[in-house]
Amino acid sequence: ELLQPRPIAHEVLLFPSDEARQKLCSWIGSATTTLECCVFVISDARVAAELKEAAARGVAVRLITDDKTALDGGSQVFGMASAGVETLVDPDYELKSGAAPVPRHMHHKFAVVDGRVLLCGSYNWSYSASARNNENCVVTEDVYLVAKYSAEFERLWREFKAAAPLSQQQAAIRIQQIERGNRERRRFAAMARSHRAANVFDVARSAMDIASPGNRKRGRG
């Protein structure tokens, strides 16, 4: 009977740990040909920098993420799309379960490096996940697992791309521009309200000063 090669499990990354975060970035940075990422939250600027650098050196980087978390404060998704990382978000619609609508999320957290190394686990690519949360990420070259996750990535890529009325990368950039504009308008509105409140306080204080007994006596003198 022929001996079968044992699956290679490189390591298990356990968080919170900056060392584990560095190792994750090293695996992402090791890509030479392809990098397929399917992650619910990407807000860690350090991880995003590795993806952008990989794309800049000619690695075919593709990213799938969730449409809702992509708009969260601190999200790196649209910055990566603007930098040339091919990006898709899940369609914003609901799946039906019987008569009740169920919200849909792209909740995976995995990546395939060069079609041979799988990173997967509970770990979202966020700073809070690396610094505070109890998370895990397995790094393996198990052929069966790599093939299954690669197939799932391709399935989602085809589904989400077919559902997009225009290039999702263009849509991502456009949504980010709109969201940034909305945030700036909210910030300026808050500043305006703060200034108005300060002006009202100053006017009220001036009126109180004028009406104080000491001022009235000085006025009669």
Side-chain angles (χ1 to χ4, degrees), residues 24-25 27-38 47-48 50-55 57-64 85-86 110-115 117 119 125 153 157:
L24 178 83
C25 289
W27 279 111
I28 294 171
S30 72
T32 59
T33 56
T34 60
L35 183 55
E36 285 131 9
C37 309
C38 192
V47 175
E50 291 289 348
L51 294 177
K52 288 187 280 190
E53 287 173 14
R57 65 175 181 268
V59 176
V61 183
R62 290 187 292 169
L63 169 65
I64 297 174
V85 173
E86 200 171 357
F110 72 86
V112 179
V113 182
D114 290 338
V117 178
L119 316 174
W125 293 359
F153 183 92
W157 189 266

Side-chain angles (χ1 to χ4, degrees), residues 117-143:
V117 178
L118 170 68
L119 316 174
C120 69
S122 69
Y123 180 70
N124 272 310
W125 293 359
S126 67
Y127 177 76
S128 61
S130 68
R132 294 192 290 272
N133 297 350
N134 296 117
E135 308 278 3
N136 67 84
C137 180
V138 173
V139 184
T140 180
E141 281 185 316
D142 182 284
V143 175

Side-chain angles (χ1 to χ4, degrees), residues 119-185:
L119 316 174
C120 69
S122 69
Y123 180 70
N124 272 310
W125 293 359
S126 67
Y127 177 76
S128 61
S130 68
R132 294 192 290 272
N133 297 350
N134 296 117
E135 308 278 3
N136 67 84
C137 180
V138 173
V139 184
T140 180
E141 281 185 316
D142 182 284
V143 175
Y144 174 80
L145 293 177
V146 171
K148 295 295 281 187
Y149 278 88
S150 293
E152 172 66 358
F153 183 92
E154 295 298 341
R155 183 188 71 81
L156 292 177
W157 189 266
R158 289 192 301 269
E159 177 186 336
F160 294 171
K161 195 166 188 176
L166 71 163
S167 161
Q168 279 289 354
Q169 188 163 325
Q170 293 173 343
I173 294 171
R174 184 181 303 174
I175 292 169
Q176 175 69 343
Q177 290 169 342
I178 293 170
E179 183 62 17
R180 283 176 178 165
N182 289 338
R183 287 175 186 168
E184 284 300 301
R185 282 190 288 274

Side-chain angles (χ1 to χ4, degrees), residues 11 36 40 82-83 99 125 153 188 190 196 205:
E11 57 187 332
E36 285 131 9
F40 181 57
S82 299
W125 293 359
F153 183 92
F188 284 120
R196 285 197 296 271
R205 185 171 59 185

